[in-house]
DNA sequence: CTAACATATGAACAATTATTCAAATGTAGG
DNA sequence: CCTACATTTGAATAATTGTTCATATGTTAG
């Protein structure tokens, strides 16, 4: 019956040795947060549809909106989130802004996720 | 100025050809949802801490709670989410339930995420 | 400068979700 | 059977988040 915040003195650990080992290997707070943010960003159907559409070619906001059948505004909002996590990059050409995948990690993560799903 | 729900007739697509191509390659609705669910599950600091602790060894609920310094209840709730996405598996030994990573996809996804973070 | 258009942004609302607390399982030992 | 303990569950609250609508940038053409 452990309660949050308690330290090891009062805790009824079943396996103190294992716990100590695991504690020593904990990830830094920042790392965990950053990692969670990446996955959180990938954890939305709209954003995945956007990324999926960008797999083959770069697309502008208007095109993306047409492909996934959502408003330009909604797409733009989500692109901002994707940008903030460096999952997409963009280039401007006149009035038009073209988005594309930021790097190959995105492809790999996407592919790995699909593999997990298809079993 | 596209609005949600419109079909291609009224939409002002900049590049009709690209849009048609991208539309043909869209993922199935179910696939996108399943993929989003996996990433959503990975997109939480508490759950990542749990998975990280399970990287080296199996641990029971009580131990996990001690490692990540949260209540047994909170951990149990999150383990249920991880189980529902088949990211962890468990075995019972008397009163104690031991959790471990479900398969190597979890490790790979985790590692890929870390790589993206560490740049 | 003005009009037209692509994109971005802000505020608001609805929906989802994580944690807590209390209580319920289920298991082992006396 | 009763107690102790590990884990699970349910309800409630608080916080986060996606979409919409209206409006604001910023760029190009006339």
């Amino acid at each position: 019956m452990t309660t949050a915040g308690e330290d090891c003195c009062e805790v009824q650990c079943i396996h103190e040795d294992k716990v100590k080992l695991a504690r020593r290997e904990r990830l830094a707070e920042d790392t965990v947060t950053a990692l969670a943010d990446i996955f959180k960003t990938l954890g939305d159907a709209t954003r995945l549809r956007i990324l999926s559409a960008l797999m083959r070619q770069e697309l502008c906001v208007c095109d993306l909106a047409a492909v996934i059948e959502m408003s330009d505004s909604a797409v733009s909002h989500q692109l901002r989130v994707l940008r903030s996590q460096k999952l997409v990059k963009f280039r401007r050409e006149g009035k038009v802004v073209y988005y594309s995948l930021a790097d190959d990690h995105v492809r790999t993560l996407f592919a790995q996720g699909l593999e997990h799903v298809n079993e």
Side-chain angles (χ1 to χ4, degrees), chain A:
Chain A
M1 205 178 41
T2 313
T3 324
E6 283 178 15
D7 228 85
C8 55
C9 356
E10 312 211 31
V11 179
Q12 287 186 311
C13 306
I14 315 288
H15 312 91
E16 287 192 46
D17 46 329
K18 285 187 174 184
V19 171
K20 277 182 184 162
L21 185 62
R23 280 199 171 187
R24 239 178 286 125
E25 295 185 355
R26 272 180 300 187
L27 293 172
E29 190 63 30
D30 295 350
T31 308
V32 174
T33 306
L35 199 50
D37 285 343
I38 291 291
F39 285 127
K40 210 176 292 180
T41 303
L42 292 171
D44 176 79
T46 300
R47 288 192 289 268
L48 286 180
R49 274 187 268 267
I50 292 175
L51 291 177
S52 171
L54 295 177
M55 282 288 163
R56 171 189 275 270
Q57 58 188 344
E58 67 173 13
L59 289 169
C60 69
V61 178
C62 193
D63 288 347
L64 277 169
V67 173
I68 72 176
E69 297 178 43
M70 294 199 112
S71 72
D72 291 359
S73 178
V75 170
S76 182
H77 273 296
Q78 299 301 1
L79 283 170
R80 203 160 81 92
V81 179
L82 289 168
R83 250 186 302 155
S84 76
Q85 293 298 319
K86 300 205 199 308
L87 293 171
V88 299
K89 59 179 193 278
F90 63 98
R91 70 185 179 85
R92 162 163 246 133
E93 195 170 292
K95 288 185 280 197
V96 184
V97 178
Y98 293 93
Y99 281 87
S100 55
L101 299 184
D103 57 43
D104 276 339
H105 285 137
V106 189
R107 284 177 207 282
T108 318
L109 278 167
F110 201 94
Q112 272 297 319
L114 272 180
E115 255 190 60
H116 185 93
V117 167
N118 298 325
E119 313 208 298

